[in-house]
Amino acid sequence: MTLDPQCAAYLAEAAKTNLPDVSIMGTYRARAEGHTPRDISGPLRGDVTISTRYITTPTADVVANIYQPQGAGPFNGMVFYHGGGWVLNYINKYDAQLQEMARLTNSVILAINYQKAPEHKYPTPFDDCYAAFIWFSGHATEFNVDPSKIGIGGDSAGGNLASGVAHKIRDLNTHHLAYQLLLYPCNSVDFETTSYLANADGYGLTRNGMMWFWEQYLNGPRDFMDPYAVPLNATNFEKLAPAVLITAEYDVLHDDGVAYAEKLRTGGVQVIYKNYPGMIHGFFNYGSVIDEGIAVRKYLANAINQILNN
């Protein structure tokens, strides 16, 4: 399919800023330029409240947003890890998406503003994310959440973090994970895939940018075979939580997602997978300008509900 017209228009507007690639901008400027309007993902809802808590992780007290739908419960739950190459972004940019996901899945959602690379390289962001899941599971009663119906999710680098956390939860086997929601995850350090080469430039996230992000996050090749850092290199995919995974056609990470879905299936994991033709990386976050960014929420929620109701 050709590039979606709304995606093309969004990219054309972004090009007018003449900003250099993130790999050239560097950490500070890239973060500063990332302070887009809060409603770029679409309008906020009045029927899902947002509150703030602090989660104590192994190395910090980290801020988190909690999205609470109306009603008395019991609720389902989700811990969400935002994208941004482990370097950029923050939880308030996800308010519209997570309010809607909370409503559609009858879930209390916790989104953690994990510590960022390169100041905090792996495993610090990962440890924050795992700690947030443990905290939320331990506080399920406070939020009237069914502890057997708590999932995790994330987009891009957040999808990587969710994938790694799912592996650790399986490995330690002390808590139940209901599902993993993976939105175009970056789970491999192979930059020679077809999608990396075909979509290297011109579609938002670039090949050079993704290589730069990985350099900020990892400590070097010694991390490559760590399944919590690079989940596609894991050697055991059995008994992982059911997965909902989507990819975008015009995305350097497209093949990462396809390969990860196949690894999960080979390990006997239930996978609900969908590719979005014509879409670009990050479309989940651009609901105000790309209609599919809002429509995808219903698909994701239906898939989550399907898993939870089985």
Side-chain angles (χ1 to χ4, degrees):
M1 180 176 172
T2 58
L3 183 65
D4 179 89
Q6 290 183 323
C7 291
Y10 170 78
L11 292 170
E13 283 299 312
K16 292 178 182 178
T17 64
N18 291 317
L19 289 173
D21 188 67
V22 65
S23 59
I24 298 172
M25 276 196 286
T27 303
Y28 177 82
R29 187 177 179 192
R31 287 172 178 165
E33 296 290 349
H35 286 265
T36 52
R38 188 181 178 205
D39 62 355
I40 191 172
S41 300
L44 301 180
R45 305 188 61 88
D47 57 354
V48 176
T49 61
I50 305 173
S51 60
T52 301
R53 297 285 286 268
Y54 283 85
I55 310 289
T56 299
T57 74
T59 55
D61 287 325
V62 182
V63 69
N65 279 351
I66 296 174
Y67 303 83
Q68 174 79 51
Q70 290 184 337
F75 298 103
N76 305 314
M78 184 199 300
V79 180
F80 190 85
Y81 313 129
H82 70 78
W86 309 279
V87 175
L88 317 175
N89 291 341
Y90 45 88
I91 48 181
N92 287 353
K93 295 181 73 170
Y94 289 73
D95 285 350
Q97 305 95 302
L98 296 184
Q99 279 189 321
E100 185 75 357
M101 292 297 296
R103 185 185 70 86
L104 291 173
T105 63
N106 193 39
S107 298
V108 177
I109 298 179
L110 181 147
I112 183 168
N113 205 67
Y114 54 86
Q115 298 173 87
K116 305 298 190 296
E119 297 89 347
H120 306 284
K121 286 181 172 287
Y122 177 81
T124 299
F126 172 83
D127 288 344
D128 286 350
C129 291
Y130 178 73
F133 172 78
I134 298 302
W135 184 93
F136 193 54
S137 295
H139 288 75
T141 301
E142 176 184 345
F143 299 105
N144 198 12
V145 166
D146 182 343
S148 72
K149 294 188 176 182
I150 299 176
I152 55 176
D155 64 317
S156 193
N160 164 280
L161 292 163
S163 300
V165 169
H167 277 266
K168 184 167 184 176
I169 294 169
R170 186 274 317 271
D171 292 346
L172 296 184
N173 196 29
T174 58
H175 293 76
H176 176 73
L177 179 63
Y179 64 85
Q180 48 182 321
L181 173 66
L182 310 177
L183 313 182
Y184 32 81
C186 46
N187 282 358
S188 171
V189 288
D190 180 1
F191 306 112
E192 303 299 323
T193 65
T194 299
S195 63
Y196 259 112
L197 299 177
N199 305 311
D201 293 292
Y203 298 104
L205 178 63
T206 66
R207 180 173 178 266
N208 285 341
M210 200 63 239
M211 294 171 70
W212 181 81
F213 281 131
W214 276 109
E215 289 175 359
Q216 308 313 300
Y217 181 48
L218 298 185
N219 301 284
R222 71 176 186 267
D223 289 336
F224 286 2
M225 299 312 297
D226 185 332
Y228 302 160
V230 187
L232 196 56
N233 287 344
T235 57
N236 180 8
F237 288 82
E238 296 180 356
K239 298 182 180 179
L240 290 169
V244 179
L245 195 155
I246 66 167
T247 54
E249 181 182 9
Y250 291 90
D251 182 1
V252 292
L253 300 179
H254 174 273
D255 292 359
D256 272 25
V258 172
Y260 200 70
E262 184 57 30
K263 288 270 193 175
L264 291 169
R265 289 194 190 100
T266 300
V269 177
Q270 177 188 356
V271 180
I272 301 174
Y273 167 72
K274 183 176 181 179
N275 178 55
Y276 277 80
M279 288 293 112
I280 59 173
H281 185 82
F283 75 94
F284 177 68
N285 300 329
Y286 306 141
S288 66
V289 291
I290 299 174
D291 292 342
E292 198 64 69
I294 291 180
V296 67
R297 301 172 188 172
K298 187 171 183 179
Y299 171 81
L300 298 173
N302 287 342
I304 289 170
N305 291 335
Q306 177 183 327
I307 291 172
L308 293 177
N309 293 330
N310 280 346

